[in-house]
Amino acid sequence: MDLVLTTFLKMAFMLAVILGLVPVLIWAERKGSAYIQDRTGPNRAGIAGIRLAGLIHPIADVLKLLFKEDVRPAGVHRVMYALAPFLVFFIALLTYAVIPFGDYLEVGGRRIPLVVADLDVGILYVLAIASLGTYGIVMGGWASNNKYTFLGAVRSTSQMISYEISMGLALMGLLLVSESLRLTDVVAGQGQLLWGFLPRWGVVIQPLGAILFMTAAFAETNRNPFDLPEGESELVSGYHLEYSSMKFALFFMAEYTNLVVASALIATLYFGGWNIPWLPRAVIEARAGGLLSLLLAAHVAICALAAALFLRRASRERGRFGDGRDREPGLMAGVSILLGLAGLAALALRPWEIGPAGASLLATVLQVGAFVGKVVFFCWFFIWVRWTLPRFRYDQLMHLGWKVMLPLALANLVVTAVVVALV
Amino acid sequence: MKGKVHGYGGKMTLGERLYLGEIFRGLGITIRHVIRNLLHTGDMPTVQYPEERRAYSPRFRGRHRLMKREDGTPRCVACMMCSTACPADCIHIVAEEHPDPAIEKAPASFEIDLLRCVYCGLCEEACPCDAIRMDTGIYDMAADSRAKFYVDKEFLLNNTTDGTR
Amino acid sequence: MVKLTIDGRELEFAAGTSLFEACRVARGEALPHFCYHPDLSVAGVCRLCQVEVEGMPKLTIACNTSVREGMVVHTRSERVRRAAQQILEMHLINHPVDCPICDQAGECGLQDQYMNYGLYESEVSISDKVNKAKVQVIGPRVVLDKERCVLCSRCVRFCDEVTRTGELGIFNRGDRAEIGVAPGRQLDNAYSLNTVDICPVGALTSLDFRFKKRVWLLRSTPSICHGCATGCNVRVDHEAGTVYRLKPRRNPAVNGSWMCDEGRDTYRELHAASRLSEPLLRRDGELRAATWPEAWAALAGAAGRELPPGAAVVSPRQSLEEIALFAHLAAALGVPAAAIGGGPREADRGEGDDLLRSADLAPNRAALGWLGLQEPAGADLAARVRAAKGAVLVYGADPAADAPGWREAVAGRTVIHLGTHRNATAEAADIVIPLSAWAERDGLFVNRQGRVQASRRAIARPGLAQEDWRFLADWLAAAGAAEVPASLPELRRWVAGRVTALAGVDLAVLPPEGLVPDAVAAGSGGES
């Protein structure tokens, strides 16, 4: 019973994090691309003048998509057409089951491992599920009865086939090193230090593998520079061209969900997962009081700085718009001050005298935070790359996949195998 | 941003052909933009359109208007010079007899399809009576049907700065 | 023949040719002029056509000079050019230059001459100009603007010499001289709009056409007036599928430069509200719009039930090809030869005169005779139709209005009306087929002289209406006839082969003035 309950809670936590990240990512994509291109980006939608630098836009988008007419074009294969977006989204969510997002949570003396399903064959599961994603795309593209969607689907398949192999081979190298297919083992192995100072992260011991895996991950998620399946300039918008309303939204969300999956995988396999470098759990639990006090003090300082900045803007831009938007900086300053005061109040509760249970909890929270932070960074990295690089041409894509990445992955595997055998 | 630009067909160096280094160089450029724009939000060239507006030249050609005589009737004599000159064929005039033989001809109807208009200003140039002008400076027009962009004589005679109709 | 040199070219002309016409030939274009008109007497008042003749101390007007042996004429010298410019400036001294509101703008002699020979800076201010009456309605069809007039006197001469009614005259002297109507009279003769045509400026304008369209937007198609048997050569001026006016086209063999006012009104029937634009079928006692497939089904049904024998009536308003093809179709459908004919004879009769207007208002009556079709009087027609049992085909004619006893004769029989308007016959018909009106298709017409002239398609047909010959040919094909013409030239060859009067005539290349077949010219030679 407990197992079921905790599993459901862990699933709920993961779902909340992922689905909560999607609108933020959409916002980050729009705002980030705008700042890269010296534009302002979304800053219009607001609730009573509160715009949060465009964060309200995803809410407006969702509302719009919910109320849009669900157009089904003539000549579609009804079942597959309706099934495809759900399949894509569902498969995107499946991978999370095996990703450990923390070490363990200690509740009443019992340790709950922070992974939904700690499979023995975790990595194989990841590879299996990742290649399923293309089925939804192929179904959607074929069922739409449109040449553009169909071309997008075909491209997606060929791209998946080309990069799946390199991805798998790159992972093989990591498996040889970590000697386990279980993702928790892979992460735990990365918590040690190499030669006493270097974190034993996948990227350190398998740098080529990391690069190959990341590149393949970009290709598997259909993100720029590998977004040929949707290539607007050639295919209008690719496999989901004929979708509208929430069906389109599901494709859209699946894209970002896949992005989070890929980021989580990269973080888990090559960047230490939930490990905080040079700060193992034992150290955190030993120095919990000091750490917590330091964190709270930093929080108060950041809140004070934010409040000062918001107050400055409030005084500078007084009456700039002549509507609710003028209140925004003042309100944000107030929120910052309140948060700062909350931090101060927490400091007044003597955090340096924290007990062992609290220390364990703090360690878990920090580790989960580290994992989420790494995931968010790689999500941003995906966005960052998208707005920096141009899209590949189709022949370049194939050239890179078969004639560059595949030999490199093989070489990486052979070298790793030799080294592992010798050491 | 300064940078070396390669022409098509130029030989790439080994470093450039490895691609990875260039990717990171590109990432560096884009992140510099992000950081600069984050720190100096106000310096962006974006015009916050409805609140801020670019100052247009007085010669800017906006929505048309019809000039009036002192008695308030249109100055237009329905000579069709504008509709003849119009490359978009958007001016439709029906002439009628004016009761005053000194004026003789007047427009019974004068309609402009604002959606067909290309705002070239040839109608202004062609008008012998200075009856049509495009000096209202109105360029933001919105309506919920095409028919509302098909404006008539009364509208053009009383053309002010509000929206379409 | 006399030989003379114009602008360095030596040319020969018949003695008595006016120097103006000689210069027109030599130059390839007319000299600048306002008052000269080939079909009017020479007035020599505008002084614009002055040319330099060697041996003469002063410039001389070409219109009032006859060619002489050994003459050496210069029409493009600087002296001639300056003279034209100065005369033009004089003409324009009191002209209001109100081109924007002037209907003549675009086909105005003043505008053309100014662009060709003028282009000077005017020294007359608008306030110094002599003001005269504007917008004077001087007749049922004509408006006069005295300010714009250049006193060329063409209109006065027209009324004196052509119509011999003499309504117009020039009154007063000097810069107060003006055109006017004789006291107590109106410009109301049957040819009054010709004064508008010949007015080189905007002084005389047509009340009907006034302000309807700027002339530069119009396209012109040469055609034949369908108002009467004279067959005046006309120009159909139209834009975007609408005909705005008819203008005479010069043909000395038929109409000179003129046409009558009634003929000019005939364009209105093209756009009448009663035009047929879709097939109509009688259902539940009422005519209702139908599609072409339904119409074809109805035609086939009627033909199968009630033909032969049947009767067929065709109007002399249809073209030669159409009448011939219709008669052929009727025969192919089994209508006995005696029951195919034109008529009724009383229809299309008007008042004629000895100038252009014919009392016969049908433009193609001669063609009926050429094709051997009889044309009974109304009562005879009704009796003949009554005698022939079966369906009745009516093409273009309106016997229900024109033939007494028609309605009784066709009672209880299927009436198939092929036509352009919803006339009385169409209202009483069971199947109504929409076809093209005269400006909507090509056709040949035989006028009262026996002259074959071509009428050209100017505008598109309304709605679902079909081209006549194509519909007839389709029906012919549907009726299983062996020879069905596939194109209009083929149809014309076929017609020429069936008409004895047209033996040896190639209808594909008609001369611009029309063609009187030798057989006809040798015979009676037509009415006039």
Side-chain angles (χ1 to χ4, degrees), chain A residues 17 64 219 267 339 363 373:
Chain A
V17 169
K64 178 194 77 176
L339 286 175

Side-chain angles (χ1 to χ4, degrees), chain C residues 74 86 467:
Chain C
H74 301 286
Q86 286 165 354
E467 200 172 354

Side-chain angles (χ1 to χ4, degrees), chain A residues 1-10 107 110 112:
Chain A
M1 191 64 220
D2 272 359
L3 183 71
V4 174
L5 182 70
T6 52
T7 304
F8 267 102
L9 283 177
K10 284 185 280 191
V107 181
R110 284 191 322 124
I112 305 167

Side-chain angles (χ1 to χ4, degrees), chain A residues 125-150:
Chain A
Y125 173 84
V126 166
L127 283 174
I129 296 299
S131 49
L132 278 180
T134 199
Y135 281 89
I137 291 176
V138 170
M139 274 168 66
W142 178 81
S144 294
N145 190 30
N146 177 310
K147 59 188 164 203
Y148 296 118
T149 62
F150 185 65

Side-chain angles (χ1 to χ4, degrees), chain C residues 153-197:
Chain C
S153 80
R154 271 182 181 182
C155 51
V156 179
R157 279 178 282 149
F158 175 81
C159 291
D160 289 349
E161 298 165 10
V162 181
T163 61
R164 298 202 184 83
T165 44
E167 295 98 333
L168 299 177
I170 296 179
F171 301 84
N172 298 332
R173 291 288 177 273
D175 64 4
R176 282 183 299 270
E178 58 184 37
I179 293 285
V181 195
R185 297 197 57 184
Q186 271 200 319
L187 181 59
D188 55 0
N189 64 54
Y191 297 87
S192 63
L193 280 172
N194 288 301
T195 60
V196 174
D197 297 340

